[in-house]
Amino acid sequence: MRQPAVAGQFYPLRCENLEKELKRCFEGLEIREREVLGAVCPHAGYVYSGKVAAHVYATLPEADTYIIFGPNHTGYGSPVSVSRETWKTPLGNLDVDLELADGFLGSIVDADELGHKYEHSIEVQLPFLQYRFERDFKILPICMGMQDEETAVEVGNLVADLISKSGKRAVIIASSDFTHYETAERAKEIDSEVIDAILNFNISGMYDRLYRRNASVCGYGPITAMLSASQKLGGSKATLLKYTNSGEVSGDTEAVVGYAAIIVE
């Protein structure tokens, strides 16, 4: 059992308080399912980025499995790792899709729990899924310490092949925040360039802009894996649903973190 690592920090620990916070995040949003194959969602504390994340979750269709790519902030574990444990949140337990997880055997993706144990980027997405969908679904958590273009594309293509072979309905979520600790104006300027590349499925262009602007987007590998997989599964249209930054909540516009909600259909 993978125990919650950041409940009570990034989101409320008590079930009733968490449900209340999630309800707040969805306030004013219409729940309208779209043919979403992939998405980019922020992973900050719900008070800062929850409303942005809800823009994505309000559009997601029901699926058999939600595949979640997250960056490895802790440095623990394998370079790219899939978790096989059941994940616990204050809203209940979620089982991993072991059939898909087994498909990674012998690949660049290791079965390893250490990379997931203290990592928040995947965990914070799960209560949103539990809040939105009543029917049973499974998850496939993939934590990426190695985020170079070649690795990320390889992992994304591998996931697309596994989904195709399984015949399952799957949605792929890339967990990422955008620019960290720049002024709101500069963050928006840098993030606009990176987001433009994402919307045009220009992976090499995204890496070029990340390096050229020294951008501090933390989940560029997960974004790349999601884009590669979604495109291989037939995704052809990417849409920015919402962009904002932490200063909108904190009032501090001198050192913000950027958040974007993006879907691929």
Side-chain angles (χ1 to χ4, degrees):
M1 181 75 72
R2 196 278 191 183
Q3 299 292 332
V6 293
Q9 300 172 48
F10 281 66
Y11 60 88
L13 176 62
R14 294 174 62 88
C15 176
E16 57 270 31
N17 293 339
L18 177 53
E19 287 181 339
K20 190 184 297 183
E21 178 65 10
L22 286 162
K23 184 179 179 182
R24 181 194 70 83
C25 291
F26 282 96
E27 272 175 8
L29 289 177
E30 178 189 3
I31 304 295
R32 186 168 68 88
E33 292 188 5
R34 296 165 64 163
E35 293 296 312
V36 178
L37 291 171
V40 179
C41 264
H43 55 235
Y46 286 9
V47 67
Y48 294 108
S49 68
K51 282 183 173 288
V52 180
H55 278 75
V56 165
Y57 287 102
T59 72
L60 294 193
E62 286 194 348
D64 301 312
T65 303
Y66 294 92
I67 296 159
I68 309 171
F69 289 110
N72 185 333
H73 293 86
T74 67
Y76 293 121
S78 298
V80 185
S81 60
V82 62
S83 171
R84 298 172 57 86
E85 292 183 338
T86 296
W87 285 53
K88 182 179 182 180
T89 84
L91 301 183
N93 297 339
L94 287 169
D95 291 327
V96 167
D97 188 325
L98 296 177
E99 181 189 338
L100 289 181
D102 285 343
F104 290 122
L105 287 171
S107 77
I108 193 173
V109 182
D110 294 324
D112 171 53
E113 304 302 332
L114 186 57
H116 294 268
K117 188 172 183 180
Y118 305 107
E119 177 55 51
H120 68 274
S121 63
I122 293 171
E123 178 184 326
V124 297
Q125 309 297 340
L126 303 182
F128 278 96
L129 290 171
Q130 291 171 301
Y131 184 80
R132 267 285 279 118
F133 302 110
E134 291 183 4
R135 59 157 284 201
D136 286 341
F137 60 85
K138 292 185 178 179
I139 59 171
L140 190 68
I142 302 168
C143 191
M144 301 182 67
M146 280 178 68
Q147 297 193 57
D148 62 278
E149 183 178 350
E150 185 180 354
T151 298
V153 169
E154 181 180 342
V155 172
N157 288 338
L158 180 55
V159 164
D161 290 342
L162 291 175
I163 292 170
S164 296
K165 287 175 189 171
S166 74
K168 294 179 178 180
R169 178 74 179 270
V171 174
I172 304 158
I173 297 165
S175 181
S176 181
D177 295 336
F178 280 75
T179 292
H180 290 63
Y181 312 126
E182 298 280 3
T183 65
E185 184 180 359
R186 180 165 169 77
K188 186 175 182 180
E189 177 190 319
I190 295 170
D191 291 342
S192 293
E193 284 193 34
V194 176
I195 289 167
D196 178 70
I198 294 169
L199 298 181
N200 288 290
F201 296 89
N202 183 4
I203 290 170
S204 292
M206 182 185 76
Y207 276 84
D208 177 63
R209 293 168 199 195
L210 288 169
Y211 295 139
R212 183 163 44 80
R213 299 303 301 262
N214 195 24
S216 50
V217 179
C218 57
Y220 55 93
I223 292 170
T224 299
M226 180 280 293
L227 284 176
S228 300
S230 297
Q231 204 165 16
K232 197 166 186 181
L233 293 167
S236 59
K237 179 188 176 187
T239 307
L240 175 66
L241 302 177
K242 178 74 174 174
Y243 175 83
T244 188
N245 63 68
S246 57
E248 295 293 321
V249 174
S250 69
D252 175 11
T253 59
E254 292 303 306
V256 306
V257 179
Y259 311 122
I262 300 169
I263 57 170
V264 176
E265 297 170 278

